[in-house]
Amino acid sequence: MSVLSGKHIVLGICGGIAAYKSVSLLRLFIKAGAEVQVVITPAGKEFITPVTLSALSHKPVVSEFFSANTGEWHSHVDLGLWADCMVIAPATASTIGKMANGIADNMLVTTYLSAKSPVFIAPAMDLDMMRHPSTQANLSRLRSYGNHIIEPASGYLASGLEGKGRMEEPENIVVYLERFFAERSDLEGKNVLITAGPTYEKIDPVRFIGNYSSGKMGYAIAEECASRGANVTLVSGPVSISVKNPGINVVRVESAKEMLDECRKAFPTSEISIMCAAVADYAPANPSDRKIKREHQEVPVITLVKNPDIAATLGKEKRSGQMLVGFALETDNETVNATEKLAKKNLDIIVLNSLRDKGACFGTDTNKVSIIKADGSRTDFPLKDKAKVAADIVDEIINFSQSKA
């Protein structure tokens, strides 16, 4: 059985002569057991009809934002959440440029911008367009966002010229995806413990000490691990988001002590533990069991005590063969501070991010991280969507684990 069996694939088709190959590609996806939703640009319909595509996919083809006859709205957001991957083949120079620069003027590009899953782009155009600096710059930008470029082949082109620009053959695109998803089953059956979100430390029944963590990074890592076959236990502080994968076991806690207790329960059987939560360093020593009133009372003095260091505690309990990953959110001396934490807490990997990086850290949908390993190696990544950052983090964890084996 193909690893594509049961996968949800959004197939994007642009307006180029290579669109005829998309019919074969669609047929191969269906034959492999995938469920395919075609999204085609208006220009694409000049090369291949929606009737043909719908007959093969057994789904209505999506092209416009809404149906002119019924007013039915086609949600690019829902499509982006539904997909296990998005394949754009052929991808024209025009669409590549729009994707690279966020020009959301058609259903295909808006679906791409909403996609949370891996995106594969198979360019197809004449050789001069392909090698033009603007096209190459757009492709480089798309790569930096974490997209996968399936390089075009060289050969005879529709213009009569010969060179690089032919869309890769459908059979090879299917093999490319099968290899990708086969590699993503590298956590199959492994137990992974992840913490996410903030902790709240009670002052009284209505007030607490906390932080701005949204939990988005930890939840994205949980989704990524689950998509690769892991048995995920997600110990989550108070957040307003939820998991999409029903296989993720979410354990909800409030305080640092509660989070530590749940982590210690799951840690002994976990091969990989990823401490992504923003745990409060301090808690009130004597929280009130009644609301502290402002009236007729002096300003209260709140005495703080240190919370347990969850990563450090697990680092002391770590056995041979277990992988422990920590996070370091810093504002200055970032590398020095992160490296010290790596050693002090007996971590295998530490993920460093800085509040000085615009668009990263708390409350954002993006992050910019550096991954430092116990062997001294370091990898720096550009600003990306947190789902793509999660994939980078998990890739680095797996690579380091395999290097130690």
Side-chain angles (χ1 to χ4, degrees):
M1 182 181 293
S2 171
V3 294
L4 298 182
S5 179
K7 298 294 184 188
H8 294 170
I9 300 176
V10 170
L11 176 59
I13 301 175
C14 304
I17 190 63
Y20 78 91
K21 290 185 177 181
S22 301
V23 177
S24 296
L25 181 58
L26 171 57
R27 184 173 175 275
L28 290 171
F29 282 153
I30 296 296
K31 187 177 180 180
E35 187 175 346
V36 184
Q37 175 62 65
V38 175
V39 180
I40 191 169
T41 65
K45 291 188 289 186
E46 299 296 323
F47 292 86
I48 189 74
T49 68
V51 173
T52 300
L53 299 168
S54 179
L56 290 172
S57 67
H58 309 293
K59 290 179 178 290
V61 172
V62 175
S63 181
E64 310 297 339
F65 291 107
F66 61 90
S67 171
N69 294 329
T70 65
E72 179 185 3
W73 175 257
H74 299 136
S75 173
H76 54 89
V77 175
D78 288 346
L79 277 175
L81 294 174
W82 173 83
D84 291 309
C85 71
M86 184 174 185
V87 181
I88 302 166
T92 60
S94 174
T95 294
I96 288 170
K98 290 177 180 180
M99 292 166 62
N101 293 281
I103 301 173
D105 66 348
N106 63 45
M107 190 65 184
L108 193 155
V109 179
T110 54
T111 301
Y112 159 73
L113 293 173
S114 299
K116 301 297 183 185
S117 58
V119 177
F120 301 85
I121 302 165
M125 63 196 75
D126 204 63
L127 76 164
D128 292 318
M129 297 174 70
M130 183 65 198
R131 65 189 178 193
H132 194 281
S134 62
T135 303
Q136 291 302 311
N138 287 331
L139 288 170
S140 295
R141 177 175 285 187
L142 289 172
R143 284 191 191 92
S144 75
Y145 295 159
N147 298 294
H148 304 266
I149 309 300
I150 302 175
E151 291 290 337
S154 295
Y156 184 79
L157 304 172
S159 64
L161 300 175
E162 193 167 344
K164 186 174 182 178
R166 288 177 59 89
M167 180 182 127
E168 184 56 275
E169 295 303 316
E171 293 81 3
N172 294 336
I173 293 175
V174 171
V175 169
Y176 190 103
L177 263 68
E178 286 179 330
R179 287 176 179 170
F180 175 83
F181 280 107
E183 290 171 358
R184 287 175 65 89
S185 63
D186 38 24
L187 291 180
E188 190 70 41
K190 291 189 180 295
N191 296 326
V192 178
L193 167 64
I194 301 168
T195 64
T199 63
Y200 288 175
E201 314 299 332
K202 283 186 177 179
I203 297 172
D204 63 18
V206 297
R207 302 179 182 91
F208 60 86
I209 295 173
N211 57 61
Y212 295 114
S213 175
S214 65
K216 291 178 180 178
M217 191 70 256
Y219 274 63
I221 295 172
E223 296 285 355
E224 181 67 21
C225 290
S227 75
R228 298 187 185 210
N231 304 314
V232 178
T233 297
L234 175 62
V235 182
S236 173
V239 297
S240 60
I241 56 178
S242 58
V243 294
K244 302 180 185 70
N245 191 312
I248 299 173
N249 175 33
V250 181
V251 181
R252 300 196 179 277
V253 298
E254 185 172 276
S255 69
K257 289 182 179 179
E258 291 172 351
M259 184 171 283
L260 174 60
D261 288 343
E262 294 299 333
C263 285
R264 294 186 78 177
K265 291 177 186 177
F267 185 67
T269 58
S270 297
E271 287 104 321
I272 300 170
S273 298
I274 306 169
M275 303 291 101
C276 188
V279 181
D281 293 323
Y282 301 96
N286 299 296
S288 173
D289 59 359
R290 294 185 178 183
K291 180 181 177 182
I292 299 172
K293 293 286 190 177
R294 183 170 62 177
E295 296 83 1
H296 314 299
Q297 190 171 329
E298 295 181 0
V299 176
V301 175
I302 300 174
T303 302
L304 301 178
V305 294
K306 280 188 176 182
N307 267 329
D309 188 322
I310 298 175
T313 301
L314 299 185
K316 292 176 182 177
E317 300 175 359
K318 186 176 70 169
R319 305 185 315 275
S320 175
Q322 286 184 303
M323 178 81 67
L324 183 59
V325 180
F327 274 66
L329 174 60
E330 303 292 340
T331 59
D332 55 87
N333 297 321
E334 287 93 336
T335 300
V336 172
N337 290 335
T339 304
E340 287 179 354
K341 289 180 180 178
L342 176 71
K344 184 178 179 181
K345 300 184 182 186
N346 193 25
L347 304 175
D348 297 283
I349 292 174
I350 194 160
V351 181
L352 167 64
N353 51 18
S354 174
L355 280 171
R356 294 194 289 180
D357 289 325
K358 187 177 180 181
C361 306
F362 288 159
T364 65
D365 292 324
T366 54
N367 205 356
K368 181 181 179 183
V369 304
S370 297
I371 297 178
I372 304 172
K373 301 173 184 175
D375 62 5
S377 63
R378 171 179 175 143
T379 307
D380 299 315
F381 294 90
L383 187 74
K384 296 183 182 181
D385 181 276
K386 283 182 175 174
K388 293 182 173 65
V389 175
D392 290 336
I393 291 170
V394 175
D395 284 342
E396 292 293 313
I397 291 171
I398 291 168
N399 291 339
F400 190 55
S401 176
Q402 291 173 345
S403 72
K404 292 176 63 179

